[in-house]
């Protein structure tokens, strides 16, 4: 996988990234014998990872496509295939056998093939980027509907008993950490066996444990240890600890940081100190790469966020790549991570759909399991702008929030509301995110003041007055280069004015604990000629970026930098 550190030193891994055969299948013909034989002659090459919509002729292609590559095994081996992100439906075939299906473009999944014979093997993936009213996101969202294998594909050679997962938990008492490791092992062997598991981190070796594992079964064990004088992870103080687990011939390396997060007196406390959050929303998108955002550009985005004086970024509106989150861990920046539940135009039928809920719960599961150890993640976001005045939203909220809390009690749970004045789900969350666009969709920028008063009344009536508030979205569009003497709509000047005035209002309000400007950089938007949505998006971009899509700063960027770097 593409991480900033090595995850295995014993297990052999290799990326299958590179040039793959590619063919679209608009008629959903499928992989019949005949069609399969035709694959090479009709197909073209495509780089994995990438989005096909960034290639000539495929700009607006939404539908099914087939990808093919080959890999060799020098001897019979257990093979694990790990897919970091495929938009959105994926069917995996090895040597013509269907290994399984996965839905969800922004979280990873794996398939294991025990005892694969020595030789050359064919890996085919059917990818379908079609969205509908029961998918996450649905077919209406304010970002481009890209398709493809957007993140890396990795092949792993697994020993007969391998480590499936590692979960690191800890309790802090002063500067002592009481640590529990939970290790899950899987056997692909036809005989029972015993295996020695050892684990360590800087300054602590856990006692070895001998585990009996039955043929073809899995086994869990937990290891405990205590570490004194720990260095805490904090904003701008990225203290990380690397954990190494060895089980027989296999190993797994992961990292975490020790810190506490809690809400106290309407404030968010990190390591016992009140935090004021200053940041932006960021889509992991670029006009040339779509969602297959390359590591080199991530480093640049990180430098820009740091230059601006941000201490947090919202991963709008889906789980972002692990490489990005590793970078945030390493630089002491915080992250709000959420699933792609974008509800601005969402129907009640969608909110009430069991399939939709099931997909959302699975995504929460995959996001939290994948990213549990990242100290940068402070919030799990349950949804964005669904109609939180309705019973359907309330029921879904209960399911999502209890799922999150059942998996993780060490972080805060939040969401972004566009109906703060009438919202009925406030009490389920630790922190309330408010999305409002006074000065853009909603009249004068001073409207924020009234809206906040109404929100406070609503919060009081629901017993939620003590919940910290983050202004999770606000902003205005400004076309890069359109600057002048007067702040006309869509000019850089207008955008800068709105953002500056809004920040001033929010920074004076003691109940607001943070601001996340919409948006970091301009993003491509799905403006299809046959649909009524997003018709105000000039250039087919959401132009509310503080930077343009190529990361050139607008006037608003310079003002925000000045404000974020000044004392409140
Ligand atoms: C919403 C939404 C964003 C974006 C924004 C806008 O708040 O959450 O994804 O669409 O509005 O630009 O209107």
């Amino acid at each position: 996988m593409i991480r900033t550190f090595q995850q295995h030193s014993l297990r052999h891994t290799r990326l299958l990234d590179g040039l793959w055969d590619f063919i679209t299948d608009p008629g959903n013909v499928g992989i019949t014998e005949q069609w399969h034989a035709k694959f090479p002659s009709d197909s073209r090459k495509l780089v994995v990872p990438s989005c096909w919509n960034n290639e000539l002729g495929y700009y607006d292609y939404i539908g099914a496509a087939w990808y093919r590559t080959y890999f060799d095994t020098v001897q019979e081996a257990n093979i694990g295939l790990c897919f970091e992100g495929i938009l959105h439906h994926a069917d995996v075939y090895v040597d013509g056998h269907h290994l399984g299906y996965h839905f969800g473009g922004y979280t990873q999944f794996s398939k294991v093939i025990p005892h694969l014979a020595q030789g050359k093997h064919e890996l085919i993936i059917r990818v379908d980027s079609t969205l509908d009213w029961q998918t996450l996101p649905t077919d209406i969202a304010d970002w481009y509907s890209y398709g493809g294998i957007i993140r890396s594909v990795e092949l792993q050679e697994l020993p007969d008993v391998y480590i499936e997962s590692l979960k690191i938990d800890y309790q802090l008492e002063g500067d002592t950490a009481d640590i529990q490791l939970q290790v899950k092992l899987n056997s692909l062997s036809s005989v029972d066996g015993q295996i020695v598991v050892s684990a360590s981190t800087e300054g602590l070796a856990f006692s070895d444990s001998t585990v009996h594992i039955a043929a073809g079964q899995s086994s869990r064990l937990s290891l405990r240890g205590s570490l004194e004088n720990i260095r805490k992870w904090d904003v701008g103080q990225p203290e990380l600890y690397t954990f190494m687990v060895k089980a027989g011939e296999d190993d797994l390396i992961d990292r975490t940081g020790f810190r506490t997060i809690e809400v106290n007196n309407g404030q968010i406390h990190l390591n016992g100190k009140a935090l004021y959050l200053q940041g932006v929303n960021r889509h992991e998108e670029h006009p040339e790469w779509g969602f297959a955002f390359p590591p080199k550009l991530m480093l640049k985005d990180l430098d820009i966020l740091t230059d601006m004086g941000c201490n947090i970024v919202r991963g709008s509106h889906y789980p972002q790549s692990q490489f990005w989150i590793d970078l945030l861990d390493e630089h002491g920046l915080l992250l709000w991570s959420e699933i792609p539940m974008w509800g601005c135009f969402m129907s009640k039928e969608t909110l009430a759909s069991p399939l939709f809920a099931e997909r959302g719960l699975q995504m929460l599961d995959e996001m939290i399991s994948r990213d549990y150890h990242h100290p940068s993640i402070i919030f799990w976001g349950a949804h964005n702008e669904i109609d939180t005045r309705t019973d359907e939203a309330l029921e879904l909220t209960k399911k999502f929030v209890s799922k999150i809390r059942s998996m993780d009690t060490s972080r805060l749970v939040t969401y972004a509301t566009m109906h703060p004045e009438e919202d009925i789900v406030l009490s389920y969350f630790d922190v309330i995110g408010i999305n409002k666009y006074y000065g853009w969709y909603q009249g004068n920028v001073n409207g924020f003041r009234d809206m906040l008063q109404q929100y406070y009344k609503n919060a009081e009536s629901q017993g939620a007055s003590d919940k910290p508030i983050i202004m999770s979205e606000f902003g205005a569009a400004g076309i890069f280069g359109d600057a002048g003497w007067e702040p006309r709509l869509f000019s850089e000047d207008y955008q800068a004015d709105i953002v500056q005035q809004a920040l001033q209002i929010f920074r004076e309000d003691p109940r607001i604990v943070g601001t996340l400007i919409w948006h970091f950089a301009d993003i491509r938007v799905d403006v299809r000629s046959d649909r009524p949505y997003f018709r105000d998006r000039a250039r087919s971009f959401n132009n509310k970026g503080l930077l343009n899509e190529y990361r050139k700063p607008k006037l608003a960027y310079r003002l925000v930098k000045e404000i974020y770097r000044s004392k409140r």
Side-chain angles (χ1 to χ4, degrees):
M1 263 105 69
I2 303 284
R3 305 290 303 262
T4 62
F5 61 97
Q6 199 75 28
Q7 281 195 290
H8 302 278
S9 61
L10 293 178
R11 189 187 291 184
H12 292 288
T13 67
R14 61 184 197 265
L15 290 176
L16 298 182
D17 296 355
L19 282 177
W20 289 42
D21 297 321
F22 173 79
I23 189 166
T24 55
D25 183 13
N28 272 320
V29 175
I31 193 151
T32 60
E33 286 280 305
Q34 194 193 6
W35 191 78
H36 185 239
K38 200 161 81 85
F39 199 115
S41 57
D42 279 20
S43 67
R44 53 161 288 166
K45 298 281 183 190
L46 200 68
V47 167
V48 166
S50 71
C51 297
W52 66 64
N53 309 79
N54 293 109
E55 304 308 316
L56 292 185
Y58 297 91
Y59 171 72
D60 51 7
Y61 182 67
I62 295 178
W66 295 85
Y67 285 76
R68 175 167 70 179
T69 193
Y70 293 94
F71 61 87
D72 291 311
T73 43
V74 285
Q75 57 192 31
E76 183 186 290
N78 303 314
I79 296 299
L81 291 171
C82 181
F83 305 92
E84 281 201 75
I86 300 184
L87 285 169
H88 294 274
H89 307 261
D91 280 281
V92 179
Y93 301 81
V94 169
D95 298 336
H97 301 293
H98 186 232
L99 292 188
Y101 162 80
H102 179 263
F103 173 76
Y106 306 96
T107 43
Q108 72 188 31
F109 64 98
S110 315
K111 301 285 169 206
V112 173
I113 318 157
H115 313 298
L116 188 64
Q118 180 251 328
K120 179 174 176 178
H121 302 281
E122 178 193 56
L123 168 61
I124 288 186
I125 307 177
R126 178 183 186 272
V127 180
D128 192 338
S129 64
T130 309
L131 296 169
D132 60 41
W133 66 280
Q134 292 187 103
T135 55
L136 284 87
T138 64
D139 54 347
I140 309 165
D142 189 12
W143 64 84
Y144 199 75
S145 191
Y146 290 106
I149 303 179
I150 60 159
R151 294 179 189 155
S152 288
V153 178
E154 188 177 78
L155 182 148
Q156 309 190 338
E157 284 173 35
L158 304 171
D160 276 352
V161 175
Y162 69 96
I163 304 172
E164 187 183 303
S165 63
L166 162 70
K167 187 161 179 266
I168 309 166
D169 280 298
Y170 59 86
Q171 281 82 46
L172 285 182
E173 200 59 68
D175 59 0
T176 300
D178 179 19
I179 305 169
Q180 307 93 47
L181 305 183
Q182 288 173 60
V183 183
K184 184 175 177 206
L185 303 173
N186 267 349
S187 164
L188 301 170
S189 170
S190 51
V191 291
D192 296 355
Q194 289 215 356
I195 200 152
V196 177
V197 180
S198 58
S200 64
T201 187
E202 190 189 325
L204 173 66
F206 295 80
S207 316
D208 289 0
S209 186
T210 304
V211 184
H212 176 81
I213 180 155
Q217 301 297 308
S218 51
S219 176
R220 290 169 198 270
L221 76 146
S222 64
L223 304 171
R224 290 187 87 99
S226 171
L227 193 56
E228 291 177 359
N229 301 319
I230 49 127
R231 303 177 309 273
K232 285 192 187 152
W233 188 97
D234 212 321
V235 169
Q237 195 181 296
E239 297 288 357
L240 294 167
Y241 284 73
T242 299
F243 285 76
M244 280 177 269
V245 178
K246 190 170 170 293
E249 295 162 42
D250 200 18
D251 70 342
L252 181 58
I253 301 169
D254 208 348
R255 294 188 316 201
T256 196
F258 299 108
R259 83 273 183 279
T260 58
I261 302 163
E262 66 218 322
V263 167
N264 237 326
N265 275 332
Q267 301 290 314
I268 297 170
H269 284 224
L270 179 64
N271 294 326
K273 288 181 301 251
L275 253 187
Y276 189 74
L277 298 166
Q278 306 197 119
V280 289
N281 288 268
R282 173 183 173 274
H283 270 277
E284 200 158 273
E285 197 259 2
H286 185 280
E288 189 51 44
W289 302 87
F291 290 137
F293 203 90
K296 180 243 169 255
L297 290 178
M298 293 196 207
L299 269 176
K300 182 137 183 196
D301 279 6
L302 181 77
D303 284 348
I304 296 171
L305 288 177
T306 312
D307 177 71
M308 217 193 308
C310 294
N311 57 13
I312 185 167
V313 57
R314 175 173 176 213
S316 51
H317 289 297
Y318 38 79
Q320 315 230 316
S321 61
Q322 291 208 77
F323 189 85
W324 173 246
I325 311 179
D326 285 342
L327 287 180
L328 299 177
D329 290 344
E330 288 171 16
H331 287 80
L333 263 90
L334 297 164
L335 174 67
W336 163 330
S337 185
E338 65 191 24
I339 56 169
M341 179 143 172
W342 191 92
C344 192
F345 299 108
M346 198 174 276
S347 67
K348 284 192 180 185
E349 287 70 34
T350 296
L351 290 173
S353 151
L355 176 58
F356 183 77
E358 187 191 311
R359 285 174 164 162
L361 291 168
Q362 188 201 324
M363 280 184 185
L364 286 169
D365 197 298
E366 290 177 348
M367 171 177 75
I368 298 171
S369 320
R370 191 197 71 169
D371 293 337
Y372 190 71
H373 297 144
H374 290 286
S376 55
I377 299 178
I378 179 171
F379 303 127
W380 295 125
H383 42 67
N384 178 71
E385 294 193 347
I386 63 173
D387 193 346
T388 39
R389 298 168 299 185
T390 63
D391 290 339
E392 290 80 1
L394 178 67
E395 288 314 309
L396 201 61
T397 295
K398 287 184 198 164
K399 287 192 191 123
F400 280 16
V401 174
S402 76
K403 171 74 182 172
I404 297 171
R405 296 199 195 281
S406 73
M407 292 184 72
D408 188 358
T409 49
S410 72
R411 293 180 172 88
L412 305 176
V413 186
T414 191
Y415 74 115
T417 176
M418 65 190 291
H419 301 291
E421 311 90 329
E422 299 164 87
D423 197 317
I424 59 171
V425 307
L426 302 177
S427 62
Y428 290 88
F429 293 93
D430 301 312
V431 176
I432 312 298
I434 298 182
N435 291 2
K436 279 285 183 185
Y437 285 86
Y438 289 94
W440 190 252
Y441 302 119
Q442 288 134 347
N444 189 286
V445 73
N446 281 311
F448 280 118
R449 297 183 201 276
D450 270 4
M451 177 278 291
L452 285 165
Q453 290 317 312
Q454 288 178 47
Y455 165 75
Y456 294 139
K457 275 195 206 130
N458 182 27
E460 200 175 325
S461 73
Q462 290 184 51
S465 297
D466 55 340
K467 311 246 178 218
I469 302 151
I470 295 180
M471 292 307 302
S472 42
E473 285 189 33
F474 57 98
I479 308 280
F480 179 71
D482 184 5
W485 295 108
E486 69 289 327
R488 288 166 291 99
L489 270 187
F490 281 105
S491 67
E492 284 195 26
D493 312 75
Y494 184 84
Q495 177 195 25
D497 244 29
I498 297 298
V499 172
Q500 188 182 23
Q501 289 183 55
L503 281 176
Q504 195 173 344
I505 295 172
F506 305 148
R507 284 159 72 93
E508 282 165 3
D509 188 329
R511 296 171 70 167
I512 295 178
V513 303
T515 53
L516 291 162
I517 299 163
W518 186 268
H519 181 262
F520 175 63
D522 293 347
I523 52 158
R524 208 193 280 283
V525 172
D526 194 5
V527 185
R528 275 178 259 163
S529 53
D530 57 340
R531 307 206 309 176
Y533 311 104
F534 316 118
R535 309 302 294 180
D536 68 332
R537 303 293 195 250
R539 313 184 301 129
S540 298
F541 273 77
N542 185 318
N543 295 291
K544 300 188 190 78
L546 300 175
L547 304 126
N548 77 356
E549 62 274 24
Y550 295 107
R551 278 55 180 163
K552 306 260 185 267
K554 301 181 196 170
L555 180 57
Y557 176 87
R558 302 186 198 282
L559 285 179
V560 170
K561 174 175 171 179
E562 213 175 294
I563 298 170
Y564 275 1
R565 286 177 165 270
S566 68
K567 224 177 151 39
R568 232 171 97 238

